[in-house]
Amino acid sequence: MWNSLSGSIPPSIGNLLSLELLLLNGNSFTGHLPDEIGNLVNLDRLQVDQNKFSGPIPSTLTKLVNAKHLHMNDNAFDGSIPSGLGRIPAIHILLDNNNLTGKLPPDIGNISQLQILQLDNNPFDAQEIPSTYTTSLVQLIKLSMKNCNLRGSMPDLSALTKLQSLDLSKNQMDGVFPNMSLPSLITIDLSNNQFTGDIPVEAAGIETLELM
């Protein structure tokens, strides 16, 4: 991490079958991530953030059935998030600040232990937040989907009782803010949307509220 390494990642990385940590963040790597990374079934942590990787996210990442941390933010990945990612027992999924498009895969909502989901600043297809994200991710602490081309109304997040940070700013969401209870929420950013009406703070159980 945090060197001046460059070039691409060779496919032979997939031969390190006992590898548990692959920490390459903060370098200048380029090119595609090889499909062979999916061979690293013992991997607990994959950190390739803050590089110059491009191309699609390998669909073989869905084979990383022991991965708890998937940090791929701040690159130039494009294409869709692979379906089947919900099979990974991740605690952190960080895909923000890339060029990802397509639909948000609902099966991410199957990751019941997920604590941080960051998808900010990707030009996804216009869509609503998948209902599985707002009803099934009951361990979620941070949900950040700023500038993701989200549409539709604000969903009821009452099931996310551990949520502390919510950022849905710079989207095209509209409608009335629902009456919901979020007892752990500390920071909320809904700026640059098209919401109307009041935010029922008195019903939300929020002790510290920032409307930025």
Side-chain angles (χ1 to χ4, degrees), residues 66-183:
N66 291 296
K68 302 297 191 301
H69 296 263
L70 186 63
H71 297 196
M72 305 181 70
N73 49 298
D74 295 284
N75 281 286
F77 290 113
D78 56 30
S80 301
I81 299 175
S83 60
L85 206 63
R87 293 194 292 268
I88 297 177
I91 297 173
H92 296 172
I93 294 180
L94 281 58
L95 298 175
D96 46 302
N97 299 309
N98 281 289
N99 297 313
L100 298 172
T101 56
K103 295 292 185 181
L104 297 170
D107 67 346
I108 287 179
N110 297 335
I111 312 175
S112 59
Q113 66 271 42
L114 190 64
Q115 295 179 5
I116 297 178
L117 179 59
Q118 292 183 189
L119 301 175
D120 314 91
N121 299 315
N122 282 292
F124 295 113
D125 293 355
Q127 63 198 292
E128 296 185 357
I129 299 175
S131 60
T132 53
Y133 294 16
T134 60
T135 58
S136 301
L137 298 179
V138 295
Q139 300 298 320
L140 209 61
I141 295 172
K142 181 178 182 180
L143 177 60
S144 195
M145 301 178 72
K146 171 184 178 180
N147 191 28
C148 284
N149 203 20
L150 297 175
R151 308 293 174 93
S153 58
M154 179 75 183
D156 186 345
L157 306 177
S158 295
L160 310 184
T161 57
K162 296 185 179 181
L163 192 66
Q164 297 179 15
S165 178
L166 174 65
D167 190 346
L168 299 176
S169 61
K170 295 186 178 180
N171 285 293
Q172 293 83 47
M173 301 179 71
D174 55 21
V176 176
F177 199 91
N179 190 336
M180 58 185 172
S181 177
L182 294 171

Side-chain angles (χ1 to χ4, degrees), residues 173-177 193-199:
M173 301 179 71
D174 55 21
V176 176
F177 199 91
N193 279 285
Q194 301 169 21
F195 293 119
T196 57
D198 298 326
I199 295 178

Side-chain angles (χ1 to χ4, degrees), residues 24-52:
L24 304 175
N25 48 302
N27 282 287
S28 297
F29 288 114
T30 55
H32 295 193
L33 280 184
D35 289 339
E36 287 77 5
I37 280 184
N39 297 340
L40 306 179
V41 294
N42 290 302
L43 206 63
D44 177 85
R45 186 183 293 257
L46 174 62
Q47 293 183 191
V48 298
D49 47 301
Q50 300 187 58
N51 280 284
K52 300 176 182 177

